[in-house]
Amino acid sequence: MTAQQQAAMQSMINWLSDERELGRKPSKIEIAGEFDLHDMHYYIFKYKKTLLGKWLLAVCGGYEDPSDTEHCGHIFSEMQPYDPASAKQEAIAMVEMIREYWMKQAAAIEAAQQEGGAESQDDSSGSGIFNGFVLLNSSECDLEQVKENLLKDWNISSSSAEGESHPEEEKEGILVFEVDGFTAALSFVDAPVPNGEAEHYAQGNYLWREAAEITKTHVSQIIVAVFTRSGSPLDSGKLYTKLAASCLKLPNAIGLYSSGTVFQPELFLEMAEMMKSDDPFPLLNLVHVGLVGTETGMNGYTHGLKSFGKDEIEVLNSQTSPAELRDFLIDISGYIVEYNVTLMDGETIGFSAEQKLPITRSEGVYVNGESLKIKF
């Protein structure tokens, strides 16, 4: 076995061992074939979940050169039965699905950045940049209906200044337009979110018991993104909410994968509708508060503050109730976002003169990168 084959084998085992896939190493795995596609080399694998189970199909690649041991990220398995007669064709289809997903996402972001100019490209903090994935249970995307929803519900026109639309972009399933100092982008991808990622994070939505099961039914998606040019992160978040809500009104929309969870369409739309009358900031459509119970107490975390240029927050081993912890994190998040507050390591925070909760910065437990820990 060559060094590249060994590397591909180990990468495939690691991918299958992830908790979002098998959650353990396959009982058996073998290289069942090879092929070249788009000037890259790929390996077909067959593997078994259990020793007496059926052979299943997987693919790993691509490799540009025979000496490469790092693949480009095209690694996947739908856990369908392995059939030697059709394995190559099915493996190629999986690779094409992954390529289409990333090409569509890159195209939407690139188009939005070109429309948005250098300001959005130079913003490395992520402040004012919001993105998510509207999950669809059929391979249909009615962008015209989304445009109608935007105009009817929010008085937002997606046409150019001259009143002309962009048919060349819509024909490819991509819509990019500017509004009030922001660039908005929609990109349809006729494939599910790869690697079971959406299904995995749907499990954390404790407000929607059926989230994971319903998320499993999605077969395509709309990538939704908003970039700020001159507007504030708050207004960028509001526009993103309106754009996502307009997509969620499609009859085949079943959820929004964003901020580390999958939002229920009805609840997201209800929160968005409140902006029409009371004009509150739709915090809970943009920042997810996660809760994890352990033997030592309740743990809570935010996911979404980074889009406002702020650190995510975690509370570990709290002795409060889940409801109290959730309310606390919502209050803190609202305070940070709406008043543009930056919390610092070593400071204290409280909602009364007597309350002084210490703040420390360290590697995140439930979020990527560093987070601010508040003792509560």
Side-chain angles (χ1 to χ4, degrees), residues 30-86:
E30 299 176 7
I31 294 178
E34 305 177 26
F35 64 92
D36 292 310
L37 183 68
H38 303 298
D39 297 322
M40 303 191 82
H41 196 66
Y42 292 86
Y43 293 95
I44 301 170
F45 287 90
K46 62 178 184 179
Y47 66 94
K48 291 185 176 183
K49 291 183 180 180
T50 60
L51 193 60
L52 300 179
K54 296 180 179 179
W55 285 108
L56 304 176
L57 176 66
V59 65
C60 179
Y63 298 91
E64 292 183 318
D65 188 86
S67 62
D68 289 343
T69 55
E70 292 291 335
H71 60 79
C72 73
H74 297 163
I75 181 168
F76 193 62
S77 173
E78 292 183 317
M79 301 190 184
Q80 71 266 47
Y82 170 80
D83 181 351
S86 59

Side-chain angles (χ1 to χ4, degrees), residues 142-159:
D142 191 346
L143 285 182
E144 288 300 319
Q145 184 61 57
V146 173
K147 291 167 64 178
E148 289 181 21
N149 294 342
L150 276 169
L151 189 59
K152 178 182 177 182
D153 294 341
W154 307 107
N155 196 29
I156 295 175
S157 173
S158 57
S159 300

